[in-house]
Amino acid sequence: MASLLRRFRLRTSLQSKLIWTFLPLLLLMLGIFLLYVNTFVFKPLWEKTVEETQLSAAKVSEQLDGYLDLQNQLSQRLLANKDLLALLDPENPPAYNKLTKDRLLKDYMFRALGPTMDIRDMIVYDLEGRELVSYLGMGAPSDLGPIISNPKYAAPLNDSHYFLYKDPHGEMAFIRSINDKDGKIYGYLYIMLDSAFLRKLADGVVGSDVYILDTDGTVVLASSEADEEYPKDELNREWSGSGFFTDSSRRHYVAYRTSENNDWTSVVVASKASAFGSVNSVRNLSILMIVSLALFSLVYVYVSARNFVLPIRRLRSQITRMNYSNLNLQADRRLHNNELQLLNEAFGEMLERLQNSIEREKLAVHEEVMARNSALQAQIAPHFIHNSLYLISIASQEGKNDAVSAMCKQLSESLRYIVSSPYQHVSMLEEIEHTKRYLSLVERNYEDDLEWSIELDPSADAIQLPRLVIQPFVENAIEHAFDSTDPPWRIKIAVKLYNGLWAIEIGDNGKGMNSEEIRRMMEKIEQSDHGVQEMKSESLGIGSMGVINTVNRLKLMYRNRVFFNIFTNEDGGTTVQIIASLKRDFY
């Protein structure tokens, strides 16, 4: 059974590889196609739809304004007739009977209307809102009192302005006061608008529904094909200015424009399906064709791979049966597809693979060095974190809340520096900045007892270092150098460049190290570098471990082209000196 399973896995391995290689190509093709459709088809079409819908709303609003402006001009022509005002003057009523008065009023209306008329009727009312005369008698309200007494319409009537009104029967009217130049009101003018003409304006937008809304958000006019079931909450809202949005159903685009002259809003609702239906059909059809072609290709690849694998499987079977006692095994003459020639060429490629193996070996050595450096660096980080948290806990116990907050922030920045990209080198400036953060953190605990200074060559940014090189020496000095020394305690860091070399000197004014301690330290560094001694904190002490660790990481990076020295200053204290080449031939 196990043998059968192995044969099945062998037979299907190449087929599976070919299929799984083809599937990402299929997904990539689909992704590119959808990206192309979205970028070069849908987006321009959407922008065009937005522009056309907004233009339609603006066009309907402008046509409505134009129509109402004509009615305003008509009313102005009628009001310009001084005889009309004299005829309606309640203080000095003319001595005409009603029949003569009606005839004169109709004559004034005829002169104002001219030869053409795009309204249904014109009616004149007195100050009490009673009908005086109707030009055509089309059924206007006989009493205008409830309308003119409505506070909603008081402002336009008193300001010699007009307003639009929709009566209970659905007829729309243009209403304004009849007044002189001083604003004195003599009566009211009621113009019944032509509903058929207004409906024609609404029907002028092809493929979209048009709604005309009054100031209350009520639909006063809709296009013939407008959806009567369209959600009222989409229309009954506060409208201002002009704009464009997608309604809550995500199926319609809505453009609107509010007229500055009459406060009515023209709303155009366009269906997404009508705008993108044809494009969606083409896209879906294209996706179906691509998927169908891909499935056909998968079947073809599977069948072709099966026929192609068979002779290779036979050849592999012969190779696996060859050994020292069976070197005369004859090749299968039934093999085709030129597999033996390909195998012959494979021997020629063996040298290339050997060369690749050598390169991989070099890469493995390189990665081993990087891993060793990372491991060494990882040994220092916990000690740094422990000391920092200990200093923070001391400040917390002393009630230095502001100092604790600042120290936590500095520790956070230091941790980000330590853990980010541990395999990458850093510049001298980055390492100095990390050391500054550490000194600032420690300084908050020691206050004025600790003094430190840094002298940095302007060109020091060209120096490359492993992470955590300077700070461990500073930490070691603070932990051990000032045990029996009175403050102030001073730490000085100097970075210099000369003759293709760079040097770092880290000095303190502590108790110093005697020659025997320096000798033991240098021996430990040499033994650790040659693998004689394991770096364990139990045997070396945490301070020695930090020094040895740092020197070894520098030697790994600079391939031992680094000089390290420790000496005691003449005026007390200890100085650590590191010198290396500026040449960037690192591991």
Side-chain angles (χ1 to χ4, degrees), residues 38-67:
N38 183 68
T39 304
F40 296 100
V41 179
F42 273 93
K43 186 176 180 180
L45 184 57
W46 182 84
E47 294 174 350
K48 182 180 179 181
T49 302
V50 171
E51 181 181 1
E52 291 181 349
T53 309
Q54 289 180 317
L55 287 176
S56 298
K59 180 181 178 181
V60 172
S61 180
E62 290 172 358
Q63 289 177 340
L64 181 61
D65 284 347
Y67 177 68

Side-chain angles (χ1 to χ4, degrees), residues 6 9 55 99 137 185 215 240 271 285 412 493 514 526 539 572:
R6 283 196 299 270
R9 285 195 294 267
L55 287 176
L99 183 60
I185 299 177
T215 54
S240 178
S271 172
L285 180 61
S412 175
I493 302 172
N514 57 46
E526 183 177 1
S539 62

Side-chain angles (χ1 to χ4, degrees), residues 158-307:
N158 294 330
D159 294 340
S160 301
H161 194 60
Y162 68 86
F163 65 89
L164 301 175
Y165 174 74
K166 183 179 182 181
D167 65 15
H169 304 290
E171 297 292 341
M172 284 178 286
F174 174 100
I175 304 175
R176 66 166 299 159
S177 59
I178 300 175
N179 57 288
D180 58 15
K181 62 180 180 180
D182 296 325
K184 181 180 178 181
I185 299 177
Y186 293 84
Y188 300 96
L189 179 63
Y190 187 100
I191 300 177
M192 293 182 64
L193 302 179
D194 188 355
S195 300
F197 181 82
L198 293 175
R199 181 62 59 84
K200 185 178 179 181
L201 292 181
D203 291 340
V205 180
V206 180
S208 300
D209 296 339
V210 178
Y211 301 90
I212 307 297
L213 312 176
D214 62 11
T215 54
D216 296 330
T218 304
V219 178
V220 297
L221 181 67
S223 57
S224 302
E225 303 297 329
D227 184 7
E228 297 181 358
E229 302 297 327
Y230 191 72
K232 301 302 180 184
D233 56 343
E234 295 292 346
L235 300 174
N236 190 10
R237 62 170 67 192
E238 293 185 5
W239 303 91
S240 178
S242 61
F244 182 90
F245 64 91
T246 304
D247 65 8
S248 57
S249 67
R250 313 299 297 176
R251 293 183 298 178
H252 300 89
Y253 293 132
V254 180
Y256 63 92
R257 180 175 178 179
T258 301
S259 173
E260 297 179 355
N261 299 327
N262 52 66
D263 292 333
W264 281 14
T265 302
S266 301
V267 179
V268 177
V269 180
S271 172
K272 282 187 178 181
S274 62
F276 298 104
S278 59
V279 177
N280 284 328
S281 300
V282 173
R283 182 188 62 179
N284 295 335
L285 180 61
S286 300
I287 292 176
L288 179 62
M289 291 179 62
I290 292 176
V291 173
S292 301
L293 179 62
L295 293 176
F296 174 78
S297 301
L298 285 175
V299 174
Y300 178 78
V301 167
Y302 179 82
V303 175
S304 300
R306 184 176 181 181
N307 294 332

Side-chain angles (χ1 to χ4, degrees), residues 378-395:
Q379 291 177 348
I380 291 183
H383 183 236
F384 163 76
I385 297 171
H386 172 269
N387 282 349
S388 300
L389 292 175
Y390 177 73
L391 294 175
I392 293 174
S393 67
I394 293 176

Side-chain angles (χ1 to χ4, degrees), residues 95-105 131-133:
Y96 297 133
N97 57 32
K98 185 177 185 308
L99 183 60
T100 303
K101 191 175 181 179
D102 291 349
R103 181 181 59 79
L104 290 173
L105 287 174
E131 180 181 340
L132 294 179
V133 63

